[in-house]
């Protein structure tokens, strides 16, 4: 009987993307490495629990859920999240940042200073710059200032991020242009908290780290995993939680968050046997007869 694995997510290390597994095993991924797996036939996706604790109900969850949690576990996890303002007294210093994911996609956000750029890699930010650093609530007020005054969002759907990766500008200067403009407007705003220390504009580009330079354009994304389905392909790029895999019909994007909660076994074939949604790409990027 084939060994069963349970994925606990994709992490970013100094060496690149790493798939992690229940039990502590880690799989360092490199460009050209084959990623191949199958969802156990007859399997049911189960809630992964919250805050390191298993779901007491062992509840089933939808194959399209990126959180892989039931309603109750999602509520508990969110209640202890900085993103949801569930921790107002965190004593750690926080960075405020501007991140760019593609043409027209700029967001503002915060991350603990001790985490460095990890949060930006996890979100799939193509480039970013710090705005300033200070106490949590000062960082929060600065984030809200940019949202209100400049209408910069604090969230961008992953579907939008994926759809524009095939049309990124070629140079780092072009990719940094939009956050440079927003940064200039932000530093001219009044009302910044006194406890937040501004930082100079220093764009950091992740195209090389993500393997996107010269990578073939992705033509679709896996919508969900299903029992008995499989996927096998060579890793050509990765960004945030996404793996760009060169499968027999073309490059397809797999959001690794969809893997959580399933029992996975070695793939029996190299076909894409999961539902795939095609991207609406410009005519120059479209191909026929795929998937």
């Amino acid at each position: 009987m084939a060994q069963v694995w349970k994925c606990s997510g994709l992490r970013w290390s100094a060496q690149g993307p790493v798939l992690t597994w229940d039990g502590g095993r880690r799989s360092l991924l490199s460009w050209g490495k084959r990623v191949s797996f199958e969802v156990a036939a007859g399997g049911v996706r189960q809630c992964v629990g919250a805050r390191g604790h298993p779901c007491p109900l062992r509840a089933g969850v939808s194959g399209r859920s990126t959180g892989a949690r039931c309603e109750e576990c999602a509520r508990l996890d969110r209640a202890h999240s900085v993103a949801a303002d569930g921790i107002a007294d965190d004593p750690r210093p926080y960075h405020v940042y501007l991140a760019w994911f593609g043409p027209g996609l700029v967001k503002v956000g915060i991350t603990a200073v001790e985490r460095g750029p990890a949060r930006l890699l996890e979100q799939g930010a193509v480039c970013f710059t710090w705005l300033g650093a200070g106490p949590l609530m000062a960082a929060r007020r600065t984030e809200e200032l940019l949202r209100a005054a400049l209408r910069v969002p604090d969230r961008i759907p992953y579907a939008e991020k994926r759809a524009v990766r095939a049309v990124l500008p070629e140079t780092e200067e072009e990719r940094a242009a939009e956050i440079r403009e927003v940064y200039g407007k932000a530093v001219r705003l009044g009302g910044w908290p006194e406890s937040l220390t501004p930082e100079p504009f220093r764009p950091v580009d992740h195209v090389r780290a993500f393997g996107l330079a010269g990578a073939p354009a992705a033509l679709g994304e896996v919508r969900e995993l299903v029992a008995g389905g499989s996927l096998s392909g060579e890793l050509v790029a990765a960004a945030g939680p996404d793996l760009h895999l060169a499968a027999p019909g073309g490059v397809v994007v797999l959001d690794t968050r969809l893997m959580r909660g399933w029992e996975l076994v070695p793939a029996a074939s190299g076909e894409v046997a999961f539902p795939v949604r095609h991207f609406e790409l410009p005519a120059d990027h479209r191909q026929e007869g795929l998937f």
Side-chain angles (χ1 to χ4, degrees):
M1 183 177 177
Q3 185 171 6
V4 173
W5 298 93
K6 281 195 171 183
C7 183
S8 55
L10 185 71
R11 302 288 182 268
W12 282 86
S13 70
Q15 292 74 41
V18 179
L19 272 177
T20 60
W21 307 90
D22 287 7
R25 182 182 172 184
R26 295 161 56 89
S27 300
L28 179 63
L29 302 178
S30 56
W31 313 136
K33 185 180 182 68
R34 180 158 292 277
V35 176
S36 182
F37 67 91
E38 182 175 313
V39 176
V44 176
R45 192 183 190 199
Q46 291 188 335
C47 173
V48 297
R51 316 302 299 176
H53 300 287
C55 175
L57 302 177
R58 296 178 60 86
V61 292
S62 165
R64 297 191 181 187
S65 168
T66 54
R69 292 185 174 92
C70 67
E71 185 174 341
E72 180 62 17
C73 287
R75 185 188 65 79
L76 290 172
D77 190 71
R78 189 79 174 161
H80 294 84
S81 166
V82 169
D85 288 332
I87 307 176
D89 57 351
D90 189 335
R92 297 176 298 171
Y94 275 78
H95 265 134
V96 186
Y97 62 81
L98 288 172
W100 183 84
F101 300 89
L105 300 180
V106 177
K107 66 157 282 189
V108 61
I110 70 171
T111 184
V113 169
E114 65 187 31
R115 297 206 66 208
R119 180 65 177 149
L120 286 305
L121 290 164
E122 291 168 359
Q123 291 187 45
V126 175
C127 68
F128 78 94
T129 186
W130 303 125
L131 269 173
L136 173 59
M137 296 315 294
R140 273 283 180 235
R141 288 196 295 273
T142 307
E143 181 185 45
E144 180 57 33
L145 175 65
L146 266 67
R147 288 169 56 193
L150 303 180
R151 297 184 179 179
V152 181
D154 64 346
R155 289 179 178 84
I156 294 176
Y158 275 99
E160 295 183 27
K161 300 177 188 179
R162 295 179 188 119
V164 299
R165 286 185 196 142
V167 292
L168 296 176
E170 292 187 4
T171 69
E172 292 188 11
E173 290 76 12
E174 290 175 297
R175 294 192 289 269
E178 287 188 68
I179 55 171
R180 181 187 296 275
E181 181 181 355
V182 177
Y183 177 93
K185 293 178 180 178
V187 296
R188 291 192 294 270
L189 288 174
W192 279 50
E194 293 183 2
S195 55
L196 192 94
T197 303
E199 298 203 15
F201 180 76
R202 291 198 184 101
V204 177
D205 194 274
H206 284 155
V207 162
R208 190 176 300 275
F210 290 158
L212 293 171
L219 299 158
E221 62 181 340
V222 174
R223 290 189 301 170
E224 63 180 315
L225 272 57
V226 295
S230 64
L231 176 61
S232 182
E234 290 187 3
L235 183 68
V236 296
D242 297 342
L243 300 181
H244 291 225
L245 301 173
V251 176
V252 63
V253 178
L254 170 67
D255 184 339
T256 54
R257 296 175 298 174
L258 297 176
M259 298 169 67
R260 302 183 68 205
W262 287 107
E263 291 187 340
L264 306 176
V265 297
S269 72
E271 297 298 319
V272 179
F274 295 125
V276 172
R277 182 185 73 84
H278 293 262
F279 294 141
E280 289 295 328
L281 295 174
D284 290 345
H285 296 278
R286 291 181 183 167
Q287 297 184 24
E288 299 297 329
L290 293 168
F291 308 118

